[in-house]
């Protein structure tokens, strides 16, 4: 999963703006709008009338990321006004929560009051309102889909669930001018193109992983990343909570794990850890953005922080020193000892109790210091513990070399160099019912350098420019190995943090690659086309800038001239 580490860095990296950024520009943002109208998904928008300056032109209805499943432009645009309301109907409490979130997004930049009211209880529906409707009868929208109808009289978002409404809000905000993301009052007008979008996700699992073990990130830092993920309809946050360099979650029954095992990080920093209350805060914040937290406790390898904290977890009873380097595969829990399984039971029990989500990730990768026989024995017992506490087993794809339990999910991190035998092993498990989340390291690993000049990141899986991160199909990625498309549960974009220290670092490596991986997970395969996607991606540039995201200006994308 993380081979060939770079040397540990002992001082903060250069600011991420130092990344290689040769930026070809269009003459102006009007050209960007016209180009976007020619894109496949945005092509329908070319039928819409556009007038005015670039600042006031209406964004084509399909010019969003991820690409919607169905876009049908029609009629005149909607205009948000100072008298507009956000009206909620059906399961009003859940709809109101989404409405309040939307109002919070729009009020700072528009300066409008945008009261959130229940439809029918505060007068008749007025003109220029936004209406959020939850209804079980929204056939075909599933658990996360939505329908957006826009016209001169208003915008209506309809969904079966609050998650669907929330995803619809992300589309609505992208259809408004990018300046709507600013935190100070901006000039309008605030227009949304007329027509209808009907949208459902391709995959149910659309994840991003943040490694908080190599370098620790505080609760506010993680919450900031969650907000950025939500914009692109990511619904799973995989937190890598333990590794050789740090243990990041408090465990009451093994109290030394977090204060001692979490006291360092790569390069020798002070590290840190989450109390259970802080972890619960992350889980709750993610849930408010309709992301499920997937905690990972890596085992039997990547365990030096635990081994250093408790000597009895080592076969020789001697605790190793804390580790601040970047090598992998040298550590292992002691498979024959009973105390190992008491430890695992306690950790998983406590973590499961504070994790409302379905999955608990137990790693299983790079166990180079564990014999295959011991590995199989260990993983069988560890999986049983996860099931005992009511969670679905998730692990890196090496768990397919053991015996994945029924319902287990294997996360595939292989790449073009992965051997035939290993791929066949994954395929065999998939055919036997193991579901796969695809995170190919030479496509979706966000810590891979963009090119040889990139200051941050690694290159053991190669360099990964924006086009390479986007230009692959999860449904057929492992077809040549015999993996059926029905086995693919979704995609994930991991970010390992050997060289990542700040939120600026996260942003520089995640953006703009993460939106493309999010699109692979959400949008129909028929919409996937690099030449049209890069036009829609370019239109995200001003939005990311308005949000303060310090993104990499890939030379493959024609970013607007003022971005």
């Amino acid at each position: 999963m993380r081979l060939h580490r770079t040397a540990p860095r002992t001082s903060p990296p250069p600011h991420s703006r130092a990344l290689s950024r040769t930026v070809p520009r269009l003459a102006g943002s009007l050209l960007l709008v016209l180009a976007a109208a020619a894109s496949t998904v945005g092509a329908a928008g070319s039928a819409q009338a556009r007038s005015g300056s670039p600042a006031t032109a209406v964004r084509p209805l399909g010019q969003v990321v991820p690409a919607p499943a169905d876009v049908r432009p029609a009629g005149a645009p909607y205009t948000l006004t100072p008298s507009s309301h956000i009206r909620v109907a059906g399961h009003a409490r859940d709809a109101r929560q989404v409405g309040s979130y939307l109002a919070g997004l729009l009020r700072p930049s528009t300066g409008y009051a945008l009261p959130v009211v229940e439809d029918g209880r505060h007068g008749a529906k007025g003109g220029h309102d936004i209406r959020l409707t939850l209804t079980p009868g929204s056939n075909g929208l599933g658990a996360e889909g939505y329908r957006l109808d826009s016209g001169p009289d208003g915008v209506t978002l309809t969904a079966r669930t609050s998650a669907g409404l929330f995803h619809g809000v992300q589309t609505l905000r992208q259809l408004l001018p990018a300046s709507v993301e600013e935190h100070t009052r901006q000039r309008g007008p605030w227009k949304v193109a007329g027509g209808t979008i009907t949208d459902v996700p391709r995959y149910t699992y659309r994840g991003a992983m943040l490694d908080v073990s190599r370098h620790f990130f505080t609760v506010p830092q993680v919450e900031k990343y969650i907000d950025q993920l939500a914009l692109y309809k990511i619904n799973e946050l995989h937190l890598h909570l333990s590794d050789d360099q740090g243990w990041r979650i408090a465990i009451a029954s093994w109290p030394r794990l977090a204060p001692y095992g979490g006291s360092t990080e790569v390069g020798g920093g002070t590290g840190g850890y989450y109390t259970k209350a802080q972890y619960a805060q992350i889980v709750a914040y993610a849930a408010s953005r309709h992301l499920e937290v997937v905690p990972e406790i890596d085992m039997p390898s990547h365990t030096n922080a635990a081994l250093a904290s408790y000597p009895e977890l080592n076969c020789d009873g001697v605790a190793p020193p804390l580790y601040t380097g970047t090598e992998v595969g040298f550590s292992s829990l002691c498979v024959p000892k009973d105390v190992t399984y008491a430890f695992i039971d306690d950790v998983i029990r406590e973590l499961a109790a504070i994790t409302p989500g379905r999955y608990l990730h137990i790693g299983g990768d790079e166990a180079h210091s564990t014999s295959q026989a011991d590995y199989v024995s260990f993983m069988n017992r560890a999986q049983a513990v996860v099931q005992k506490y009511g969670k679905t087993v998730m692990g890196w794809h090496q768990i397919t070399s053991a015996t994945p339990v029924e319902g287990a999910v294997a996360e595939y991190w292989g790449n073009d160099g992965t051997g035939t035998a290993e791929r066949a092993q994954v395929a065999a498990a998939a055919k036997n019912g193991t579901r796969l989340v695809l995170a190919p390291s030479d496509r979706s690993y966000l810590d891979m350098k963009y090119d040889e000049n990139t200051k941050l990141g690694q290159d053991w899986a190669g360099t990964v420019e924006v086009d390479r991160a986007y230009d692959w199909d999860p449904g057929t990625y492992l077809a040549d190995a015999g993996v059926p498309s029905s086995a693919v549960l979704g995609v994930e974009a991991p970010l390992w943090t050997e060289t990542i220290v700040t939120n600026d670092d996260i942003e520089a490596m995640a953006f703009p690659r993460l939106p493309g991986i999010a699109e692979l997970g959400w949008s129909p395969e028929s919409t996937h086309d690099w030449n049209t996607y890069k036009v829609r991606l370019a239109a995200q540039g001003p939005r990311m800038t308005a949000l303060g995201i310090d993104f990499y200006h890939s030379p493959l994308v024609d970013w607007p001239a003022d971005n």
Side-chain angles (χ1 to χ4, degrees):
M1 176 173 55
R2 302 175 294 277
L3 303 172
H4 309 306
R5 297 293 189 207
T6 56
R9 191 182 61 227
T10 56
S11 59
H15 190 273
S16 57
R17 289 194 186 278
L19 287 168
S20 171
R21 292 180 176 174
T22 305
V23 188
R25 309 266 189 197
L26 287 175
S29 57
L30 178 58
L31 290 178
L32 173 63
V33 172
L34 294 175
S39 71
T40 298
V41 174
S46 64
Q48 298 171 206
R50 284 181 289 275
S51 60
S53 68
T56 62
V58 180
R59 185 180 302 278
L61 193 63
Q63 196 190 72
V64 298
V65 177
D70 184 70
V71 180
R72 302 191 179 191
Y78 162 76
T79 302
L80 188 71
T81 72
S83 62
S84 295
H85 292 67
I86 296 175
R87 296 183 175 272
V88 299
H91 303 282
R93 179 182 177 185
D94 290 342
R96 179 179 282 275
Q97 288 176 342
V98 180
S100 297
Y101 168 84
L102 174 60
L105 288 174
L106 301 182
R107 284 170 180 155
S109 56
T110 65
Y112 301 162
L114 298 174
V116 181
V117 299
E118 288 187 33
D119 209 13
R121 294 192 179 183
H122 297 270
K125 179 185 176 185
H128 304 288
D129 288 345
I130 298 173
R131 193 167 188 258
L132 307 180
T133 302
L134 277 173
T135 170
S138 301
N139 293 331
L141 296 181
E144 295 185 279
Y146 65 91
R147 176 185 170 106
L148 182 152
D149 295 288
S150 174
D153 293 334
V155 168
T156 298
L157 281 169
T158 306
R160 287 182 56 196
T161 67
S162 56
L165 278 187
F166 185 84
H167 296 320
V169 162
Q170 306 313 313
T171 293
L172 175 61
R173 71 191 279 199
Q174 288 192 36
L175 291 172
L176 288 162
S179 56
V180 81
E181 309 291 354
E182 298 282 357
H183 294 293
T184 57
R185 189 165 183 173
Q186 306 292 311
R187 293 182 61 185
W190 309 106
K191 293 180 179 291
V192 176
T196 298
I197 290 175
T198 305
D199 204 8
V200 293
R202 182 183 185 187
Y203 293 113
T204 59
Y205 190 107
R206 305 176 306 280
M209 190 218 75
L210 182 62
D211 169 21
V212 297
S213 295
R214 284 357 183 285
H215 281 99
F216 180 67
F217 291 88
T218 64
V219 171
Q221 287 179 302
V222 175
E223 290 178 341
K224 182 177 183 180
Y225 195 41
I226 288 170
D227 278 330
Q228 294 165 349
L229 299 175
L231 175 60
Y232 298 104
K233 302 183 176 70
I234 294 293
N235 68 347
E236 304 284 349
L237 175 63
H238 173 182
L239 285 179
H240 185 75
L241 291 170
S242 71
D243 214 298
D244 293 316
Q245 299 86 352
W247 185 283
R248 306 303 184 199
I249 181 68
I251 301 296
S253 50
W254 296 76
R256 186 171 162 83
L257 277 175
Y260 183 72
S263 65
T264 190
E265 59 189 9
V266 167
T270 56
Y273 66 92
Y274 306 119
T275 65
K276 288 187 177 181
Q278 289 172 326
Y279 177 79
Q281 181 179 339
I282 292 173
V283 168
Y285 193 84
S288 75
R289 271 55 174 167
H290 293 274
L291 279 84
E292 177 181 54
V293 171
V294 180
E296 180 187 355
I297 301 296
D298 210 345
M299 55 181 85
S301 190
H302 294 279
T303 49
N304 192 82
L307 298 173
S309 301
Y310 286 95
E312 60 266 39
L313 296 177
N314 297 269
C315 286
D316 61 4
V318 177
L322 293 169
Y323 183 68
T324 62
T326 57
E327 294 302 316
V328 298
F330 62 87
S331 61
S332 181
L333 292 169
C334 189
V335 174
K337 278 189 169 183
D338 289 340
V339 69
T340 295
Y341 303 99
F343 168 76
I344 292 169
D345 192 283
D346 286 337
V347 169
I348 290 177
R349 171 178 51 81
E350 292 193 33
L351 188 55
I354 56 175
T355 300
R358 295 161 289 177
Y359 305 107
L360 202 152
H361 203 301
I362 54 172
D365 63 305
E366 296 172 330
H368 305 321
S369 298
T370 309
S371 71
Q372 182 59 24
D374 278 354
Y375 180 85
V376 171
S377 173
F378 177 90
M379 294 308 294
N380 288 345
R381 295 185 68 172
Q383 289 181 92
V385 176
V386 174
Q387 290 186 310
K388 173 183 174 181
Y389 292 108
K391 298 302 179 183
T392 296
V393 172
M394 195 166 182
W396 298 104
H397 74 257
Q398 281 74 18
I399 69 169
T400 62
S401 71
T403 307
V405 295
E406 183 177 355
V409 177
E411 184 166 359
Y412 182 80
W413 60 275
N415 54 50
D416 288 353
T418 299
T420 301
E422 188 170 351
R423 288 158 58 88
Q425 172 185 287
V426 172
K431 291 175 182 176
N432 202 36
T434 298
R435 295 169 297 169
L436 302 180
V437 168
L438 300 183
S441 52
D442 58 348
R443 299 281 187 171
S444 72
Y445 267 35
L446 300 178
D447 54 308
M448 291 299 108
K449 293 175 178 285
Y450 292 95
D451 60 30
E452 63 276 8
N453 296 316
T454 306
K455 300 293 189 261
L456 299 173
Q458 307 183 85
D459 60 4
W460 58 261
T463 58
V464 182
E465 249 292 359
V466 179
D467 59 342
R468 183 166 179 80
Y470 177 81
D471 200 13
W472 59 285
D473 176 17
T476 60
Y477 182 73
L478 289 174
D480 61 341
V483 171
S485 60
S486 59
V488 178
L489 184 64
V491 298
E492 187 168 282
L495 179 56
W496 302 102
T497 61
E498 285 89 344
T499 68
I500 309 301
V501 176
T502 67
N503 275 100
D504 279 348
D505 296 343
I506 291 174
E507 292 165 6
M509 300 305 284
F511 298 95
R513 289 182 292 196
L514 184 133
I517 296 164
E519 176 155 310
L520 296 182
W522 179 278
S523 305
E525 191 277 331
S526 61
T527 68
H528 296 172
D529 176 77
W530 165 249
N531 289 324
T532 55
Y533 169 70
K534 69 180 180 181
V535 177
R536 287 183 289 110
L537 180 60
Q540 293 293 307
R543 190 168 305 275
M544 290 189 285
T545 297
L547 286 165
I549 295 175
D550 186 25
F551 69 99
Y552 165 71
H553 287 61
S554 169
L556 304 181
V557 178
D558 290 328
W559 307 102
D562 58 350
N563 187 231

